[in-house]
Amino acid sequence: MATIHVDGKSYEVNGSENLLQACLSLGIDIPYFCWHPSLGSVGSCRQCAVTQYANADDTRGRLVMSCMTPASDNTFISIEDKEAKDFRASIVEFLMTNHPHDCPVCEEGGHCHLQDMTVMTQHDRRRYRFTKRTHYNQELGSFISHEMNRCIACYRCVRYYNDYAGGTDFGVYASASRVYFGRPESGTLESEFSGNLTEVCPTGVFTDKTHSERYNRKWDMQYAPSVCQGCSSGCNISPGERYGELRRVENRFNGEVNQYFLCDKGRFGTGYVNNADRPRQPQFRDGENVTTVSVDQALDTVIANIQGKKVLGIGSPRASLESNFALRELVGQENFSTGLSQKEQNLAELAASIMQTEGVYNPNMREIESYDAVLILGEDLTQTAPRMALSVRQAAKNKAKEMAAERRTQDWLAEPLQRIAQDAKSPIFILAATQTRLADVAAGEVVASPNDIARLGFAVAAAVAGESILGLDDDAKAFAQTIADTLKAAKKPLIISGTSLQDASIMEAAAQVAQSLGGHAGLTLTVPEVNSMGLAIFGGQSLEQAFAQDYDTVIVVENDLYRRLPVAQVDAALSGKDLIVLDHSETATVKKADIVLSAASFAEGDGTVVSQEGRAQRFYQVYDPSYYKPELAIKESWRWLHALETGLKGKAISWTLLDDVIESVAKNVPAFEAIQDVAPDAGFRVHGLKVAREPRRYSGRTAMRAPLSVHEPKQPVDLDSALTFSMEGYVGNQTPSALVPFAWSAGWNSPQAWNKFQDKVGGHLKGGDSGIRLFDRLPKRPVRTFVAPAITVVNPESFRLVPMHHIFASGEFTIKTAAMESRIPNATFAVGEQDAARLNVQDGQKITVQAGDASIVLPVQIIDYLPTGYIGYPVGLAPTVSLAEPVSVAVGV
């Protein structure tokens, strides 16, 4: 700790920080542009100037940049000194020389850090009266708009995109007043994290193009605290709504998970909520004939149809814990299925089991950044858990921080850190089925078959334990020994694996390596969907087990069975059965349904999900669709199911609030007892007020329903949470972290407002970050020893399929989002050069793969290397097939 003196007052601060960060953490405002908590200091904008004095008696002082000055003990500074204030005002004036006077039409207006800092420096007159410099703008793809004339050359964008996110197609060009930030030429930004430019940029240079199509100001959107549904990482988001449409998704800070950044899948992949073909009212279906009916008619019909019948309930890893529990209550535990195939369920349950093993530590996303050696087994993280891949990139920089510390250089000094390290990186080893997007930071990357990855993983575990490595050739043994030696020498080694290659042995190998390393090692296992880990803990039958029973009726909750099992298998299971589906999107299963109950998406309902880390988190309803269209009947699945249960059993409704369901889940499923602590209950208030979903300046409410009535109705009343559908509620930094819907604080309208919600800038949210880590509370299981798999012999006459994931194409709903269309690749089979020569096929030529009863015809994409005898299968872009058995391949259709 250190004592600093600011304008005559003394404060205790963290002496390892710079003055800017220290002052902001104290709640003392200093304007700044180029500095960012995750990017460090470069001192390029000169906006954060303060006067520093030699001692208490010095009255002259000197100007210093607070972002470049350590907060060392007995530092005396003044922010209010006239020279410092005048200097900061002059800097803003210089930066604004070429900035257009377009705040009223700029999409960043009201959300703009430049506006905030201009007001903070009290700059309100422009003396420049000459021609402004102008630039041509670039076309950067379907996610990002580019308006280069607004640039103030803070360099944040290029530092984030290249240095933090590892992008290579973006840079800074020209010099002096002509400096230009963009691509070498127009074209789609290739980074999977490009969307963060919209929040990193302090002006309106980079804006959300998906929002531009239906634009409104930040203060005219209604928000709710939510959790990204795109994968199992559990990133926190702030979805914004206007006129019953989801207009924009912004990052919601969580100091233990996503911090300041999202992947593009999470930021731009929610457009499916607005799709016109969604079931928004209950429906009776007969093939292509669809009839909408009332809620009562739908419920009465369903109850009559299932009365006295054997009902099979199929849950889902994309449905909340509450909805899965409600389904189990309706059909009984013996008739409840997780909605996962046997393979998927075995993998998810194995991951959950390993995470509960004695001595295994599962770090959160932020902790991943602190590990100094990483082994990734079988995961292309950028495609399957992209935000984790961004954390691994930061872990690669720990060698640079170590080298800087030896030279007594603070790690927040971004440029010196890079110069000291040059190309030195912390060791990251990747064993995957294809070349990954993290190859540029890897000390070694091996492309191998799933079987070989697992065997190599077990070899590393043996080498760590000092045992002989058996069953590998000399090169593989040497590589395994190198990895083992590196992990043993590390202060904090980390092993990352997951389910994406659908091979349990790979996760077992990862667990064996972690256990061999001991308690200082971390282990992270990824699973596919937002609530896959929650469902693995919850338990239930697999689809195959459920379909083996006798049943008359099937109730499917938020699940497309055709993505789980082959078409023929699902058709056979549903043949002759009544099918009732609860879902929020048009899926292949919905099209087969007899009755559809219109379920709420994450934007229209509340619920709890569990991330791969085992972190239980709650998402909240962003808006009430019936406020805009009273005829709509969209309800959370648990509400539909409870209504069915009470009607079927002739008992009174007992779940009127979300809190009632949560209490029942916690009481009946001991593993989820802690979910009651995830967020405050509906009775929580701040100074007697509920938390406002809308910013203070929210406007035009009456106009929203003007086509229906000129009389403004009462706002919807949210009984399920401590949030209110109004701006007449509490807005401020006393809001508990789980209930913060958006970032705003007096004088801070931009995303930098998160500074006001943190215990220290860039740290954690006041009162603790959102979520409860279940694995920290669940009983531990005994340590197990796993056995390496036998060698898989490749038959030269047949092939095996290996899953190939794509960040935008593999998700169930990203492919239903219009903004994603240009980013989704064509469906192809990936074939290595050796197998392409053996099959005598050329790039683009079609092949037929026969997998069980399925015959799939796709063009070939020849890649540099894929293990011999394996064909890359495009997950999400081709029909679901079993990957367990060899397949036959024929050239041509």
Side-chain angles (χ1 to χ4, degrees), residues 42-310:
V42 292
S44 67
C45 73
R46 324 305 288 173
Q47 184 60 70
C48 64
V50 298
T51 300
Q52 182 177 14
Y53 302 98
N55 51 51
D57 299 323
D58 182 9
T59 58
R60 184 176 179 181
R62 63 190 179 97
L63 287 177
V64 298
M65 300 308 117
S66 58
C67 76
M68 300 294 289
T69 307
S72 49
D73 198 31
N74 265 343
T75 296
F76 292 81
I77 64 170
S78 173
I79 300 169
E80 299 301 321
D81 177 64
K82 185 178 186 305
E83 183 182 14
K85 291 177 71 174
D86 290 346
F87 180 84
R88 294 196 297 266
S90 69
I91 290 297
V92 165
E93 185 172 17
F94 285 133
L95 292 176
M96 298 288 279
T97 299
N98 288 299
H99 193 83
H101 301 201
D102 68 342
C103 290
V105 297
C106 175
E107 293 191 16
E108 198 73 0
H111 193 221
C112 177
H113 185 61
L114 176 60
Q115 286 179 339
D116 291 346
M117 298 300 98
T118 304
V119 172
M120 190 178 293
T121 54
Q122 300 177 4
H123 171 66
D124 60 0
R125 295 289 184 276
R126 298 194 181 195
R127 293 181 289 175
Y128 183 77
R129 293 291 181 268
F130 305 98
T131 303
K132 290 180 179 286
R133 170 214 63 206
T134 56
H135 291 289
Y136 288 106
N137 302 320
Q138 291 184 322
E139 170 57 45
L140 298 178
S142 59
F143 296 159
I144 306 291
S145 293
H146 188 226
E147 177 48 84
M148 186 58 208
N149 293 316
R150 297 174 183 149
C151 182
I152 60 171
C154 71
Y155 285 82
R156 266 199 200 178
C157 59
V158 70
R159 292 173 56 221
Y160 161 73
Y161 195 93
N162 293 354
D163 301 340
Y164 193 94
T168 57
D169 62 321
F170 184 92
V172 53
Y173 308 97
S175 62
S177 64
R178 304 296 302 175
V179 69
Y180 189 93
F181 297 87
R183 286 172 52 87
E185 58 185 8
S186 289
T188 299
L189 289 168
E190 296 171 3
S191 172
E192 295 83 359
F193 309 97
S194 64
N196 294 305
L197 290 172
T198 64
E199 293 185 25
V200 167
C201 176
T203 74
V205 177
F206 302 99
T207 53
D208 186 336
K209 186 179 286 188
T210 65
H211 184 208
S212 303
E213 297 168 2
R214 301 282 285 168
Y215 181 74
N216 56 271
R217 295 295 184 194
K218 173 182 179 175
W219 61 73
D220 278 339
M221 278 192 285
Q222 183 165 244
Y223 299 87
S226 194
V227 179
C228 178
Q229 309 288 299
C231 73
S232 66
S233 295
C235 296
N236 288 196
I237 58 174
S238 289
E241 168 269 347
R242 182 74 165 172
Y243 288 104
E245 295 178 337
L246 203 58
R247 294 287 179 87
R248 181 174 183 173
V249 170
E250 298 175 63
N251 183 73
R252 188 165 69 96
F253 186 89
N254 186 316
E256 292 186 351
V257 188
N258 47 294
Q259 300 177 74
Y260 290 98
F261 305 119
L262 297 173
C263 75
D264 288 354
K265 180 180 183 180
R267 187 181 294 275
F268 302 114
T270 58
Y272 65 90
V273 173
N274 300 329
N275 284 353
D277 65 351
R278 283 187 54 195
R280 289 182 166 87
Q281 295 170 271
Q283 299 172 345
F284 290 169
R285 292 191 172 217
D286 182 11
E288 296 296 321
N289 298 319
V290 179
T291 305
T292 59
V293 296
S294 69
V295 170
D296 289 341
Q297 186 179 356
L299 290 174
D300 290 344
T301 304
V302 172
I303 291 169
N305 285 359
I306 65 177
Q307 188 79 48
K309 293 184 179 179
K310 179 70 179 294

Side-chain angles (χ1 to χ4, degrees), residues 8 14 38-39 258 337 449 508 526 562 638 653 745:
N14 185 343
S38 294
L39 305 179
N258 47 294
S337 167
S449 70
E508 292 173 349
T526 70
Y562 290 94
W638 62 263
I653 290 178
S745 186

Side-chain angles (χ1 to χ4, degrees), residues 618-638:
R618 196 149 299 138
F619 60 88
Y620 288 100
Q621 183 180 13
V622 184
Y623 62 99
D624 181 356
S626 63
Y627 177 73
Y628 305 98
K629 295 183 178 180
E631 70 274 13
L632 300 187
I634 296 174
K635 304 178 185 299
E636 294 101 329
S637 292
W638 62 263

Side-chain angles (χ1 to χ4, degrees), residues 597-722:
L597 301 181
S598 42
S601 71
F602 76 95
E604 299 140 342
D606 310 304
T608 308
V609 291
V610 181
S611 71
Q612 54 82 22
E613 177 198 341
R615 181 179 296 269
Q617 300 183 99
R618 196 149 299 138
F619 60 88
Y620 288 100
Q621 183 180 13
V622 184
Y623 62 99
D624 181 356
S626 63
Y627 177 73
Y628 305 98
K629 295 183 178 180
E631 70 274 13
L632 300 187
I634 296 174
K635 304 178 185 299
E636 294 101 329
S637 292
W638 62 263
R639 288 192 192 277
W640 284 114
L641 294 165
H642 186 61
L644 292 175
E645 183 196 358
T646 54
L648 189 66
K649 298 178 182 178
K651 63 180 187 180
I653 290 178
S654 57
W655 295 348
T656 57
L657 305 176
L658 176 67
D659 289 338
D660 298 332
V661 200
I662 293 170
E663 183 181 352
S664 292
V665 174
K667 180 179 178 181
N668 291 282
V669 187
F672 294 137
E673 183 179 357
I675 69 169
Q676 295 181 100
D677 302 328
V678 166
D681 62 24
F684 177 83
R685 300 292 184 271
V686 182
H687 304 308
L689 299 172
K690 298 187 84 171
V691 177
R693 282 179 168 89
E694 300 166 359
R696 285 278 186 255
R697 294 174 292 176
Y698 192 89
S699 65
R701 181 184 295 160
T702 307
M704 288 183 169
R705 286 176 50 100
L708 304 178
S709 171
V710 296
H711 302 288
E712 179 183 357
K714 181 182 178 181
Q715 283 290 102
V717 177
D718 187 356
L719 300 176
D720 288 316
S721 76

